[in-house]
Amino acid sequence: MKRYLDQIVLKDLASKAVVLTGPRQVGKTTLSRQLMGKFNQAQYLNWDVLADRMVLQNQSWSPAADLLVMDEIHKMPNWKTWLKGVIDARPNGQALLVTGSARMDTFRQSGESLAGRYFSFRLHPISVREWCTQEGVSPAIALDHLLERGGFPEPCLAPNAIEADRWRAQYFTDLIREDVLEFSRLHEITTMRLFIELLRERVGSPLSLASIARDLAVSPTTLKHYLEILKALFIVFTIQPWHHNIARSMLQMPKVYFFDTGLVRGDPGIRLENAVAGMLLKQTDFLRDSTGQDAGLHYVRTKDGAEVDFALSDGQQLSHLIECKLSDTKPHTALTRFAAQFPQANAVQLVFNLRQEEFRNGIAITDAAKWLNGLAA
């Protein structure tokens, strides 16, 4: 299927190397192969394939290739230095696309070694906007489908829900057995699996690692390390409470969500909140990656417990306050309070089952599917 990043990645390949990351099986390889069809001589090399690994190590790929796709090279020792040399030595006119299923934070935190040599993009699961474009369906039908199947291409496109469930069971097993094991020790896998199972039941709530650590009989420091692994592998993401002082915000409890809504255990309201969180993160990452906009995703919470599900920021200003509801059309009390406190922000209450849109107390009571379809990605 056509993905939302294909044209912009193709455009950027003409000028710089492109790094494309995202969860396992989110569609990076499919997107790469579709882009290969736009070139006369393209070559795909995967570090996980032994024959391809030898070609990468020897740098013996075809010099005539006008597009090189290198997958999972972050698993190579000293890959950053190696890639710098490849980028600098490539022939004029040769495009380079680097993909990976782990977050390449070192690209952003590595000083000057790769500065100015690449553009980076994060590929996310399918959103309401993408599914409407792909299938020509209404936003309501698209949101229903994504809440049932999740946004990963294979279960989304599966012929029935049974096939989607079979895919998810195998996907979860592979994440633990293969990807997580690369970042942790074998004896930690059981604890890591239990940690993920507990996170599946805590979606949307402020996350107390100390409390979970007591349940699992491990230290909070250990769980913090595990959480960073899960984030690096695009299994979960966290959002921090909004605060002008970023350091203070980071000290407060985050909320955790899954990239695959199908992994969430909870009532329909929690699944809706997770799906909205994923699409909002997709929106902010897209704006950052494609335009350089300082977009951010947060939530708002006070010491007295008043909370709004999500807040979007542009630089140091809040642009949106967003609350999710299944059917409740009465303006959320905390949303009303924060809408008055942050008058520059658009206050929106997204309602899944909505008969009539309204504007009350400075809050737009809006159809969730319709609003999500209006996002940029």
Side-chain angles (χ1 to χ4, degrees):
M1 64 175 290
K2 178 180 173 63
R3 297 306 308 272
Y4 68 107
L5 288 179
D6 56 0
Q7 291 302 313
I8 192 168
V9 170
L10 182 63
K11 173 179 174 292
D12 284 346
L13 282 170
S15 57
K16 291 188 180 182
V18 172
V19 175
L20 179 67
T21 57
R24 169 197 279 264
Q25 296 189 37
V26 79
K28 299 182 299 297
T29 300
T30 300
L31 175 58
S32 299
R33 294 195 179 279
Q34 289 174 346
L35 292 174
M36 289 171 65
K38 306 291 185 179
F39 292 80
N40 294 322
Q41 298 186 55
Q43 189 169 2
Y44 175 86
L45 299 166
N46 188 331
W47 178 259
D48 289 335
V49 178
L50 183 58
D52 290 359
R53 183 180 302 185
M54 298 298 294
V55 173
L56 288 165
Q57 289 175 325
N58 297 327
Q59 298 192 24
S60 57
W61 50 79
S62 172
D66 50 1
L67 171 65
L68 281 176
V69 179
M70 299 179 176
D71 196 7
E72 302 290 343
I73 64 165
H74 61 279
K75 299 176 182 178
M76 177 193 302
N78 301 314
W79 64 270
K80 186 177 61 176
T81 302
W82 180 89
L83 182 59
K84 176 180 179 294
V86 170
I87 293 174
D88 290 345
R90 61 184 172 144
N92 289 333
Q94 185 179 72
L96 177 61
L97 176 61
V98 178
T99 66
S101 58
R103 199 177 63 201
M104 297 181 177
D105 281 336
T106 45
F107 271 93
R108 301 179 183 275
Q109 303 171 1
S110 59
E112 297 300 319
S113 61
L114 289 168
R117 291 177 170 86
Y118 73 100
F119 289 120
S120 66
F121 292 94
R122 289 159 285 192
L123 185 63
H124 283 261
I126 298 166
S127 59
V128 168
R129 181 184 180 92
E130 269 199 289
W131 194 247
C132 287
T133 301
Q134 168 71 20
E135 297 295 311
V137 297
S138 70
I141 291 175
L143 183 55
D144 282 343
H145 186 79
L146 294 173
L147 289 175
E148 177 190 358
R149 301 287 188 87
F152 281 63
E154 189 167 342
C156 216
L157 294 165
N160 55 63
I162 293 176
E163 292 301 312
D165 290 343
R166 293 179 64 192
W167 173 89
R168 182 159 290 105
Q170 187 62 49
Y171 177 77
F172 186 65
T173 299
D174 290 345
L175 283 177
I176 301 297
R177 185 177 57 203
E178 299 175 19
D179 292 0
V180 171
L181 188 57
E182 289 186 9
F183 283 78
S184 56
R185 293 178 289 273
L186 183 60
H187 71 272
E188 296 177 310
I189 291 299
T190 299
T191 305
M192 179 72 83
R193 175 182 280 274
L194 290 173
F195 181 45
I196 297 175
E197 293 289 353
L198 290 174
L199 290 180
R200 294 174 71 181
E201 300 171 354
R202 286 167 167 78
V203 165
S205 299
L207 183 64
S208 172
L209 292 179
S211 174
I212 299 177
R214 288 192 295 270
D215 294 340
L216 297 179
V218 297
S219 72
T221 301
T222 297
L223 288 191
K224 183 178 180 181
H225 172 63
Y226 289 175
L227 183 61
E228 289 304 314
I229 291 174
L230 297 179
K231 290 164 61 178
L233 290 171
F234 295 103
I235 298 172
V236 303
F237 61 94
T238 59
I239 65 173
Q240 298 289 338
W242 166 258
H243 198 281
H244 287 290
N245 185 326
I246 298 300
R248 179 177 171 183
S249 172
M250 296 299 287
L251 291 175
Q252 299 182 46
M253 287 188 291
K255 296 201 297 185
V256 65
Y257 297 93
F258 281 79
F259 278 92
D260 180 11
T261 296
L263 290 176
V264 175
R265 286 198 180 120
D267 59 36
I270 295 299
R271 291 174 63 86
L272 174 65
E273 183 178 336
N274 192 96
V276 171
M279 291 181 221
L280 292 177
L281 181 67
K282 180 177 182 177
Q283 165 86 353
T284 56
D285 281 353
F286 177 74
L287 292 176
R288 282 178 172 270
D289 294 345
S290 63
T291 70
Q293 181 177 330
D294 187 12
L297 174 61
H298 323 268
Y299 72 100
V300 180
R301 183 181 176 89
T302 61
K303 291 181 179 179
D304 61 6
E307 180 180 320
V308 171
D309 291 333
F310 305 110
L312 298 179
S313 65
D314 184 358
Q316 294 298 308
Q317 293 289 324
L318 287 182
S319 61
H320 293 78
L321 294 163
I322 302 163
E323 182 71 17
C324 300
K325 298 292 184 183
L326 278 178
S327 302
D328 190 0
T329 59
K330 179 182 178 182
H332 182 56
T333 302
L335 183 57
T336 302
R337 170 179 169 180
F338 290 125
Q341 185 175 343
F342 301 100
Q344 80 285 354
N346 294 312
V348 182
Q349 185 161 313
L350 301 181
V351 182
F352 179 69
N353 296 306
L354 182 66
R355 295 184 61 185
Q356 192 65 253
E357 293 190 338
E358 298 181 71
F359 189 82
R360 297 162 58 188
N361 300 341
I363 297 170
I365 312 297
T366 302
D367 178 83
K370 180 181 176 181
W371 191 87
L372 292 169
N373 187 47
L375 295 177

